[in-house]
């Protein structure tokens, strides 16, 4: 094959390589650009939720989970978001997962959310009575945190996040 016939092929190959490098760089910048705010101080209800979850895990023969300030900060951002949009959801979970992978060395990330419960025991019992939420509580994780915030009407919103490092 003549060199003149190879030039268009080489040009396309070079373009593809540069394009994919640019994409990888952009993805890295996106991950690194995820800001993690400072975690707020734990509220009594949050401490109680974490104690109830760890007590349950220990009674089930599972390891207790460690609290983690970065997980707390990320959980807080989601609780704040749910209050802002007035909806309980897992919206933007991928961004929280990405943030915890980049900033907390998380390999696995999961979360439970809830709304309207008035005590730590009521929200933990609700999660334990839901197969998907219970699976998260019993999961193979190393760290966790919870964020509980009240909206303007005084109703609680909860985000409970779990990671495995």
């Amino acid at each position: 094959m003549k060199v003149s016939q190879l030039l268009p092929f080489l040009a396309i190959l070079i373009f593809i390589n540069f394009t994919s490098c640019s994409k990888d760089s952009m993805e890295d910048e996106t991950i690194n650009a995820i800001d993690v705010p400072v975690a707020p101080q734990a509220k009594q209800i949050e401490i109680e939720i974490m104690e109830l979850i760890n007590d349950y895990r220990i009674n089930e023969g599972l390891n207790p989970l460690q609290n983690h300030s970065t997980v707390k900060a990320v959980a807080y951002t989601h609780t704040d978001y749910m209050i802002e949009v007035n909806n309980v959801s897992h919206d933007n979970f991928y961004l929280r997962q990405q943030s915890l992978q980049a900033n907390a060395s998380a390999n696995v990330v999961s979360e439970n959310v809830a709304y309207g419960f008035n005590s730590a025991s009521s929200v933990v019992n609700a999660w334990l009575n839901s197969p998907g939420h219970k699976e998260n509580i019993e999961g193979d994780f190393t760290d966790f945190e919870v964020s509980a915030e009240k909206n303007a009407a005084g109703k609680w919103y909860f985000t409970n996040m779990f990671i495995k490092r």
Side-chain angles (χ1 to χ4, degrees):
M1 194 179 251
K2 292 182 181 180
V3 174
S4 62
Q5 290 175 324
L6 284 175
L7 286 177
F9 176 74
L10 290 173
I12 291 171
L13 187 60
I14 290 170
F15 176 75
I16 289 171
N17 282 337
F18 282 132
T19 303
S20 65
C21 289
S22 297
K23 182 180 176 190
D24 290 343
S25 297
M26 286 175 33
E27 287 174 358
D28 290 343
E29 289 174 17
T30 301
I31 290 172
N32 293 334
I34 299 170
D35 291 328
V36 177
V38 175
Q41 187 171 0
K43 296 175 187 63
Q44 186 60 39
I45 192 169
E46 295 166 336
I47 294 166
E48 291 172 12
I49 290 168
M50 293 175 65
E51 288 173 349
L52 288 169
I53 289 173
N54 266 340
D55 288 348
Y56 174 82
R57 287 180 61 88
I58 291 166
N59 287 335
E60 294 296 309
L62 302 168
N63 63 303
L65 302 176
Q66 301 300 309
N67 59 332
H68 194 291
S69 63
T70 303
V71 178
K72 171 77 169 178
V74 171
Y76 171 76
T77 63
H78 186 58
T79 304
D80 193 46
Y81 166 81
M82 291 191 301
I83 290 170
E84 184 178 312
V85 299
N86 195 33
N87 186 41
V88 179
S89 71
H90 295 284
D91 290 355
N92 308 308
F93 174 75
Y94 179 71
L95 294 175
R96 289 186 298 288
Q97 178 184 35
Q98 207 175 31
S99 178
L100 291 169
Q101 288 169 335
N103 298 296
S105 302
N107 295 312
V108 180
V109 178
S110 191
E111 74 181 11
N112 290 339
V113 296
Y115 163 77
F117 295 94
N118 292 321
S119 68
S121 60
S122 63
V123 71
V124 171
N125 286 333
W127 283 332
L128 290 173
N129 286 313
S130 165
H133 295 103
K134 183 177 181 180
E135 185 177 324
N136 287 338
I137 290 172
E138 294 177 346
D140 182 20
F141 299 106
T142 55
D143 306 90
F144 76 139
E145 265 297 348
V146 66
S147 168
E149 299 293 329
K150 285 185 178 181
N151 67 5
K155 298 287 183 177
W156 286 103
Y157 282 75
F158 303 90
T159 303
N160 182 203
M161 299 199 72
F162 304 87
I163 69 167
K164 180 176 182 177
R165 294 188 286 158

